[in-house]
Amino acid sequence: TQLLEQSPQFLSIQEGENLTVYCNSSSVFSSLQWYRQEPGEGPVLLVTVVTGGEVKKLKRLTFQFGDARKDSSLHITAAQPGDTGLYLCAPMNYGGSQGNLIFGKGTKLSVKP
Amino acid sequence: NAGVTQTPKFQVLKTGQSMTLQCAQDMNHNSMYWYRQDPGMGLRLIYYSASEGTTDKGEVPNGYNVSRLNKREFSLRLESAAPSQTSVYFCASRTPAGENTEAFFGQGTRLTVV
């Protein structure tokens, strides 16, 4: 069983601030996904990072995969109330069956206007 | 496109009652999943089905059973509901494994056991 830790668990900030959330593990992954879950909805995929050291940008969101492919970060620039939600990371391993889609506990972000 | 459809959206059960949560997807995905979500606990995997005819336990299978009725449908059954099973339940289906894999979720079933 892989241990997956997300931090911080909760984050409450003002509109316009920058923030970074983390997803850490002791295991090496083939890739890692970030999902966002808005209140009352199911999670939606934001991005998949595949290569160690990879950086992907999605508007004001910047995702980075650690060089050793054990951890990832999500940085949001100039946060807006629409960024409010639960951010979940999910590691991917391509070998074996496609079962065991496991998520971290998430970071609950609240952006106040 | 409906995507992943869960029914019911809300349910209140008395302790000891049984019920089945229904899930159907119209994306022709092989893999389907059931999760529960409790405050501060993220999504915990209950059971999954990698293909029609197969099911496997996830992180928290106790107290639940599943049936992969066909490729579209994956149901979750609570035989004797307990207050500890009060939660929001999400069903998901996923595209094939690989760099472009993506999970799609239903809108959830909010279950209260009293």
Side-chain angles (χ1 to χ4, degrees):
Chain A
T1 302
Q2 58 208 13
L3 286 176
L4 197 62
E5 293 188 7
Q6 288 193 244
S7 60
Q9 188 174 0
F10 300 99
L11 191 55
S12 181
I13 62 171
Q14 294 295 131
E15 181 175 2
E17 293 184 14
N18 301 332
L19 66 115
T20 302
V21 299
Y22 301 91
C23 175
N24 296 303
S25 176
S26 57
S27 301
V28 177
F29 305 122
S30 300
S31 64
L32 187 139
Q33 297 188 320
W34 285 92
Y35 287 75
R36 179 170 66 203
Q37 183 180 20
E38 297 183 6
E41 303 289 332
V44 175
L45 178 65
L46 293 174
V47 78
T48 303
V49 285
V50 179
T51 307
E54 180 178 9
V55 176
K56 279 191 174 178
K57 292 193 174 185
L58 186 66
K59 297 183 181 178
R60 294 175 293 98
L61 278 60
T62 301
F63 303 85
Q64 183 162 9
F65 202 14
D67 290 342
R69 304 205 318 276
K70 294 182 178 181
D71 51 75
S72 181
S73 63
L74 159 58
H75 181 80
I76 301 179
T77 303
Q80 298 178 2
D83 296 325
T84 292
L86 179 68
Y87 289 81
L88 297 157
C89 66
M92 301 285 129
N93 288 305
Y94 299 153
S97 71
Q98 199 185 340
N100 269 339
L101 176 54
I102 301 294
F103 291 83
K105 292 184 179 181
T107 292
K108 189 171 184 179
L109 172 65
S110 175
V111 182
K112 302 184 188 310
Chain B
N1 286 338
V4 179
T5 303
Q6 291 184 234
T7 55
K9 287 185 169 49
F10 301 92
Q11 183 71 50
V12 178
L13 289 178
K14 293 183 178 179
T15 298
Q17 285 185 318
S18 62
M19 80 160 295
T20 299
L21 280 63
Q22 306 287 352
C23 176
Q25 51 95 6
D26 61 2
M27 296 172 283
N28 203 36
H29 293 162
N30 285 321
S31 297
M32 296 186 73
Y33 305 82
W34 275 106
Y35 296 88
R36 62 177 289 173
Q37 186 171 38
D38 304 297
M41 296 297 291
L43 289 168
R44 290 187 292 170
L45 181 63
I46 304 171
Y47 271 93
Y48 65 95
S49 171
S51 62
E52 184 179 353
T54 68
T55 60
D56 286 285
K57 294 178 180 180
E59 301 169 284
V60 288
N62 291 343
Y64 305 95
N65 286 301
V66 290
S67 295
R68 183 73 182 268
L69 305 171
N70 47 55
K71 194 169 187 179
R72 290 187 64 247
E73 298 172 286
F74 188 38
S75 62
L76 178 71
R77 183 160 178 84
L78 287 70
E79 290 290 350
S80 179
S84 61
Q85 294 178 304
T86 293
S87 189
V88 181
Y89 291 85
F90 285 97
C91 176
S93 68
R94 189 163 73 148
T95 59
E99 292 182 18
N100 296 319
T101 189
E102 181 174 358
F104 295 86
F105 287 82
Q107 293 212 312
T109 295
R110 283 148 184 80
L111 175 66
T112 302
V113 183
V114 297

